[in-house]
Amino acid sequence: MAARDARPSLYISVDIEADGPIPGPYSMISFGASVAGRQDGASYTAADPEQLTFYRELRPISEEFVPEALAVSGLDRDRLVREGADPAVAMAEFRAWVREVSAGAQPVMCGYPASYDWTFLYWYLIRFGGDSPFGHSGCLDMKTLYATKARVPLRAAVKGRMPRELLSRRRHTHHALDDAIEQAELMSNLMLWTPPTPTPSTDRPPRVTHLSWGRIEAEGLAPGKDMRLHPGGGRPWDWSEHGTRHDPGIQPQEVRELLDLGVTAVVLSQGMESRLGVAPETLEVLRAAGVEVHVAPTPEAVEIYNRLAQGGRVGGLFHSTCSAPGPSGTP
């Protein structure tokens, strides 16, 4: 039997607004969709994201809601109770629209991130009608697409770190259709994007060029108080991102980001007065990864890092103060 040719894929950007974290107890109160583009084999053709769209505001399905979640959309829940579309009717209309615009192609929902929007969309499609035009797994996450193409950890796949040419010039308004259209442009830009090939010169760890109390300078980066450095660059080290505090110290997730970048050595600084600890779980993660580990006061840590950076794939976390911590444990 001859192999059947794969159908083209039609990517449909979907954004939903909800009044809580999960469907069922909480409600999807609006959703918008925009045709982003079509992929046929290796060829991708972007669509005008304003040309083929769908939008509905829905009647809530329960009395429960989270005020903060509801506030994001700016929708009036009392009005939706009176005037919102019946979910069964809206999902039937959406199925018909998807099948119409994707005639001859396999529809694929894409979202940013897809996990939240797909959870609500698929639940509603099955709960109100028992059928999904996307099947049970026809979704694509734009964050994962970017992380794979850019070769960065998924947690680094955020719009603020993406090249500007990938981003839509439209505002993210938290109106479901506006955001579906904006993210349709992002989807097409990602599909058509060829990342620059790293070269040895751009992939080497930046050297620390200056250290003083409250200030670190590294090659090619803006000065900062705390820095995360790795092959190819670095960024400010925000302790709140992964819950690092003086005690118990540097958290495991801080070094996992460095390990994801393929480092063979990690340098952890303890601050100028050695007041920053390293959590035991963090050292265990590094030991399990089999990398070379150095823990030292920041001046010594910088010397070790700069030496290793001359010819190796080293990453480091550098803290340029460290007086006695305040009540919150922050520097």
Side-chain angles (χ1 to χ4, degrees):
M1 179 176 173
R4 184 172 62 180
D5 291 338
R7 284 192 294 165
S9 293
L10 187 84
Y11 293 100
I12 299 175
S13 169
V14 177
D15 184 84
I16 74 101
E17 298 295 330
D19 62 12
I22 57 172
Y26 303 100
S27 306
M28 179 166 72
I29 53 178
S30 70
F31 71 109
S34 163
V35 172
R38 181 184 180 99
Q39 183 180 18
D40 194 347
S43 175
Y44 180 86
T45 303
D48 177 352
E50 293 186 337
Q51 185 175 2
L52 297 172
T53 63
F54 185 94
Y55 178 71
R56 291 292 185 276
E57 295 178 358
L58 306 178
R59 186 172 66 237
I61 61 173
S62 81
E63 295 183 359
E64 295 185 54
F65 66 95
V66 177
E68 294 81 4
L70 180 64
V72 170
S73 70
L75 294 173
D76 184 321
R77 199 172 192 277
D78 292 336
R79 180 182 66 80
L80 292 176
V81 170
R82 298 190 309 270
E83 303 173 6
D86 179 271
V89 173
M91 301 324 288
E93 292 172 339
F94 180 62
R95 286 187 202 91
W97 178 82
V98 170
R99 288 173 174 138
E100 178 184 354
V101 299
S102 64
Q106 175 64 46
V108 178
M109 175 271 190
C110 53
Y112 182 94
S115 53
Y116 182 76
D117 302 272
W118 175 254
T119 298
F120 273 90
L121 182 68
Y122 183 72
W123 191 93
Y124 265 71
L125 285 167
I126 299 303
R127 174 65 180 81
F128 300 103
D131 175 49
S132 165
F134 305 103
H136 70 278
S137 61
C139 62
L140 183 148
D141 178 36
M142 294 182 217
K143 288 172 68 71
T144 303
L145 177 60
Y146 172 74
T148 302
K149 286 191 134 187
R151 297 187 176 185
V152 300
L154 184 63
R155 57 186 165 272
V158 295
K159 290 179 182 177
R161 298 183 196 171
M162 291 182 182
R164 293 182 65 85
E165 65 267 21
L166 292 179
L167 302 178
S168 171
R169 294 185 179 180
R170 303 172 190 268
R171 292 179 57 245
H172 194 82
T173 65
H174 292 291
H175 182 284
L177 183 55
D178 288 349
D179 293 352
I181 291 172
E182 176 223 346
Q183 288 164 185
E185 289 189 341
L186 173 62
M187 175 65 188
S188 290
N189 291 342
L190 284 168
M191 290 294 286
L192 296 169
W193 181 51
T194 300
T197 302
T199 63
S201 60
T202 59
D203 200 35
R204 70 175 180 81
R207 291 179 63 256
V208 176
T209 57
H210 172 83
L211 172 67
S212 59
W213 188 276
R215 185 179 179 89
I216 302 174
E217 297 177 14
E219 295 172 325
L221 300 172
K225 180 173 72 71
D226 299 321
M227 300 287 286
R228 177 193 304 273
L229 302 177
H230 53 73
R235 62 183 178 90
W237 177 19
D238 180 358
W239 288 19
S240 66
E241 186 174 350
H242 298 302
T244 286
R245 296 290 185 269
H246 285 85
D247 183 16
I250 299 172
Q251 295 297 295
Q253 203 61 29
E254 305 281 14
V255 299
R256 288 194 179 103
E257 181 172 331
L258 299 176
L259 294 174
D260 288 342
L261 294 170
V263 299
T264 58
V266 171
V267 180
L268 303 177
S269 73
Q270 298 174 292
M272 302 294 271
E273 297 180 353
S274 301
R275 295 183 183 272
L276 174 59
V278 180
E281 299 85 354
T282 303
L283 294 176
E284 182 57 37
V285 166
L286 294 171
R287 280 194 292 267
V291 300
E292 181 182 342
V293 182
H294 299 270
V295 179
T298 302
E300 181 182 343
V302 165
E303 292 181 6
I304 296 170
Y305 169 85
N306 278 346
R307 172 170 51 81
L308 295 174
Q310 293 177 14
R313 294 188 61 82
V314 60
L317 299 171
F318 300 98
H319 179 45
S320 69
T321 61
C322 240
S323 303
S328 66
T330 57

